[in-house]
Every structure is written in C-alpha cells, then in structure tokens.
Amino acid sequence: VNIVAFGNERDGFSEDNQQPSLIWSYLGRSALISQIDSSLSATHVGNPVFTEYQACVFGNVRLVVYDCPVWDIFASDWYTSCRLIGGADIIVIKYSVNDKTSFQELKDSYVPMVKKALNHCSVPVIISAIGARKNGVPCTCPLCTSDRRSCVTTSEGVQLAKELGATYLELHTLNDFYIQKYFGGVLEYFMIQSLNQKSSDKMKKRKKIQKGHRVQPPQLEQPEKMPILKGEASHYNTDLHNLLCGCQCADVAFYPEDLSTVVEAHKVILCSVSPLFMLLFGVKSPADIPDTSIVQMAWSLFAVEVGATSPPALHGVPPCVLPVRVVVKDSVFCSCLPDILHFIYSGAFQWERLEEDVKKKLKDPEKTEQVLEKVKCILKTPGKLNPVKDCRSHQIKQLYNTSLRLFFNTPVLADVIFKIQGATVPAHRAVLVARCEVMAAMFNGNYLEANSVLVPVYGVSKDTFLSFLEYLYTDSCCPASILQAMSLLICAEMYQVMRLQHICELYIITQLQSMPSRELASTSLSIVSLLKKAKFHNSDCLSTWLLHFIATNYLIFSQKPEFQELSVEERNFIEMHRWPSNLYLKQLADYRNYIHSQKCHCTVM
C-alpha cells in the first residue's frame, strides 16, 4: 500500500520544531505496524523534499509512506510530485489550524495542482486539521465564527474537503486516541479497501490469462523499462546570495555618513524586491507610488549621490556604467545593512534568522524593533498587505523569480546589450553573472565582453536566447514544442547551465511519451535527428533514453527512412533491446503455423 502525505502539521508559532509528525506518530503507535524503516530523499535548498517510510501492516503487507512536509515539490519538481500522486493508493493532506496563511496558500495554490495531478483518479484523500485553536476552546461546530480571525475554522476545512471529495478529520492533539482510534481507524479502513481492490483486479487478470486445454499463443513480455531522469533541485536563491558574497558586478555602494565603511549591492536585485529602491534609483517616480510612507522612508533613510567617483572595490562594471553612491542616514540601520542584504539576497525567507542577527548585533530591543520595522517598510508592496507583516517565510519565498521578471528583456537598469540576428536584447550583468558560470567568466575575465556594453551572440536564434535569458531571470521555462526544447537544450549546454538542460530533457521525454503510436508513426519529427543532436551536445541521459525509445517502438521506427541513418553501434543496441523481440516473433510464427496445421481456431484471437 502506497501512501503520500503532503503539508506541515506543525504550528507556525510554536517554538518546538522537534515535535513528531503525524505520520511518524501513527507508525510508532499503531499496533498493526511493524519493522519501520525511514530514509530522506534528495534535498531542496537544504531541506529534505520528502521522507520515505517502509513498514509492514496487517502482518505481511508492505506499507510505503512518502511524507512531504514542504509543498515546494510542486513548484520545483512537478514530475516527481505527479509520479508520487500517480502511484498513491491513499493521499493525506495535513495542516495546522493555527496557521491560516499556510492554509490559504494550500487552498489557492496547491489544491488545484493536486486536482490536476489526480486527473479524475479515484484515490481516497484524507484532510487532517491538526492542533487546538489558540484563541479559544477548540470548537467542531461548522457554524462557529468565533475563531475565524487567525485560525482555520472547521467550516473552512470541511469546504476544502468537499472540493477534493476528501474525508475531513480534526486532530486536536497527537495522542493515542486521535492517532490510533481516529486517524488510524480511517487510514486503515482505506488500506483495507485498497487491498481488496488490488486483490479483485488480480483475480480478474488471472481469469483472463488462465490456460485452456489448447496450445496458447506466446506471451508478449513488457518492454524494458526506460531509464528514469531525475530533476535537479533549484539553486536560484543560492546563486543570488553568492552574487552578494562575491561582490561581482556591484553597481551600488552604501556608506555611513562618515564614509568609514562600504557595503556593495546591485540595483536590479534591490529594485526587484522593493518599490523603495525603485524610487531611490529612478526606476519609479513618487507619483508612481501611492503609499506615502514608502516615499518618506526613502528620503529619510537614504541619500543618493549620482556620478560620484567609483570606489576601488567595485569590479566587473564597464567604464560607461556609473556606480551609485548611497549614504545611509541612520547609523543603527547602516550597521545592520550587511545582515539585511544577506536576508534579501537569500530569497527573503529567513526572517527569524534576520531577527536573531539584528538582536545579537544591537543588543537593544527598542533599536532592534525600529530596524525590523524599516525592513518591513522597504519590502512592502504599495496598495497591498505587508508581505512580512506576520514574519512568515513562505509568504515571500518566491520573491525573485516573480519580481526579477519585471526586468527581463527591458532596458530599465540594463548594463549590457546582446546583439543577435540583427536585433538587440537588453540584460543585467548581475543576474547573468549570478546564474551562469560561463557568463561570469566572460564578464569578469580578460575578455572583450568585460568592458563592452554591446555583446554579439552567435549560434542560437533570438527566440531561443530570449527563452534562455528568461530562465536565468525567473528560474522557469515553458518550451512551445519539442524542437524549441532541443534548441534551448543546445543553448543551455553552450553556456553550461545544467539544470536548464535537464528541464529541457524532461520536457522532450514527457512529450514523446504522451504521443500515441499512430501519431508517432505519422509525425515528421525525426527522432534519430534528436538522438544525434543529444549525443553531439553531451546530453547522455537524453540520448540513452531516445535509444531505448526507438527500441521500444521498433516496429514503427524500423519502417522509417531515418532508421538507416543510425550508426552500426546504435543499431546493434536497438536490435538487442528491441520490442517485440525476434524470439517472440519466431514463437508467434510457429504458433500460427501450428494453428493452421490443426485447422482450429485460436482461443485468444
């Protein structure tokens, strides 16, 4: 029985991060569970994507549980999340009743993704609302409105369950009663239902293949399993944080009023996270910002000196790009500025760590509160709620890959222009250097591009290069076709952006797998040509998969003229792994001869 659990049941306001999870509590306490084993999956930004538990239930039934506490798996690795849901017999969705923000994000962003991944499959879903509401006595009345301000009400949980066709449970605490009798009872009921269904399907299949008294036709074995390509975790926030640490292409220098120290940064990164910095660096005017508190904060906290002499610490900036000197008027805020910049460049999702760093540095609660309030004002979006109002990390965890899109393919703050196919494409050195090692070497080494604003690009089309830049800015890409994905893969290999290369490989594989045999036989797309390009551009995983794909669909591809373009080595591999095999075809021919000689009818055909 395969169970997949999504969501974090821990209270966001609780200081106990070591409390056991719902799944682990059930596995440890249930009398039906034995021989428990657990292992972590590949990590994403330092955290495990999911934990895999294996155990025995009902004596000899193998139980496999994937516990995914972070919903990010849907954003960072859609293929893995779909594979987990597709193989699930039971799905458990968990949330804390005291974390309304997480619940709202679950309802708005991730429930539609779960519906899409389920694709009308009849998989039982259990929604578990965990914890006792902290602003009153726990209430299970669906009509109760006393706890709707900061907690998730029962009626909201019931409504979510209706949307998914799920079973709704409230577990006020993870004690023996709620774990074994309540949650365990429902879970074990669905386990039994799943086992009964599998047993029924197995019996039906066995009846179909029961051997008769006559000679049976040869059994056609399943084709060999295709090699599985695993997605690579995103390192988007790490790239931008390393940009700050390395001080590459810095075009802003923050100084205290006595000019005793300097802190370097990048205009495009700062402007992508804050309208205050947009105002400071001339991207927006005061009339464009309806929130007067942001305008007042900008002029009271900073003073910009345009055209000042470039400090010697600024490297990688071409002579034609003037650095900006910014004087920080508040000395207390200026002393915390390095920590604040590290917080922003790390994706602005480690608010608790920033709080600790500022407290440790200032050792004054009043000054600490003042500095943190200014940070909240800096990151505030005009006309909207403060994104760090509740100091919760997940509210702005995708800060850059949505905000930097504003500066993609726009001349605003651009300091480099690519010339490609007679057209020009503006870009920002800071983003390019942070996200691409080849670009970093090009703009910081002894190359012409290091001191040039106009950079020619050869070997790729404008559309492909724009898609490549879009990935660098947003950490996402959406190819329109297999051929476009292959062009983008070639560009990614040229600039050594391996994660983008893997994304393109997965896209090509997914599209080919979804093609029905009739379309595969009539398509003008040359799979052999894709194979040769994959090999030439060092895409070993894709080239190996394509060889298996041709071998699996041997009867289709062997009739195409492009089949003759395969090398001797490739053809030998395909013949060895072809499906159906030569042995099966020979057995089928012998069986047909036998049927013809006996003058009898085939029991199957």
Side-chain angles (χ1 to χ4, degrees), residues 207-220:
K207 288 179 179 179
K208 286 183 179 180
I209 62 173
Q210 278 184 340
K211 293 183 178 180
H213 296 291
R214 298 182 180 180
V215 176
Q216 298 296 312
Q219 296 296 317
L220 179 60

Side-chain angles (χ1 to χ4, degrees), residues 297-495:
M297 176 68 70
W299 304 134
S300 64
L301 191 58
F302 302 104
V304 180
E305 300 178 12
V306 180
T309 305
S310 175
L314 297 179
H315 298 296
V317 180
C320 55
V321 179
L322 291 176
V324 176
R325 175 181 288 181
V326 180
V327 175
V328 185
K329 299 178 182 180
D330 186 336
S331 59
V332 176
F333 186 87
C334 189
S335 66
C336 300
L337 189 57
D339 298 313
I340 295 168
L341 290 177
H342 277 281
F343 164 72
I344 291 175
Y345 275 70
S346 298
F349 64 88
Q350 296 177 332
W351 179 263
E352 295 81 6
R353 181 176 175 181
L354 174 64
E355 253 183 336
E356 290 299 319
D357 291 341
V358 175
K359 285 179 183 177
K360 190 181 297 182
K361 180 167 288 186
L362 299 181
K363 299 179 181 177
D364 184 331
E366 185 177 348
K367 290 182 179 179
T368 299
E369 185 62 28
Q370 291 174 357
V371 169
L372 294 176
E373 285 300 321
K374 289 176 180 177
V375 174
K376 293 177 184 180
C377 183
I378 289 173
L379 297 179
K380 183 166 61 173
T381 303
K384 295 184 180 180
L385 293 176
N386 190 340
V388 288
K389 177 181 176 183
D390 300 320
C391 305
R392 294 307 307 276
S393 301
H394 61 264
Q395 292 175 298
I396 46 177
K397 64 190 174 186
Q398 294 182 337
L399 192 65
Y400 291 106
N401 54 353
T402 55
S403 302
L404 274 177
R405 186 182 291 275
L406 297 173
F407 296 94
F408 166 64
N409 196 22
T410 174
V412 178
L413 298 179
D415 52 9
V416 62
I417 297 175
F418 292 102
K419 187 174 182 180
I420 178 168
Q421 291 185 333
T424 56
V425 178
H428 306 81
R429 291 171 186 263
V431 179
L432 305 178
V433 166
R435 298 281 287 139
C436 176
E437 293 182 2
V438 173
M439 294 274 194
M442 185 170 70
F443 288 122
N444 291 312
N446 297 321
Y447 300 99
L448 289 175
E449 293 85 356
N451 295 310
S452 301
V453 174
L454 194 62
V455 177
V457 177
Y458 306 102
V460 295
S461 67
K462 179 189 173 184
D463 290 339
T464 300
F465 192 70
L466 279 173
S467 297
F468 172 72
L469 289 182
E470 184 179 12
Y471 169 79
L472 297 185
Y473 276 75
T474 65
D475 202 41
S476 63
C477 72
C478 300
S481 65
I482 292 177
L483 291 178
Q484 185 180 350
M486 178 55 75
S487 299
L488 190 54
L489 182 150
I490 293 171
C491 185
E493 191 268 340
M494 182 190 307
Y495 288 100

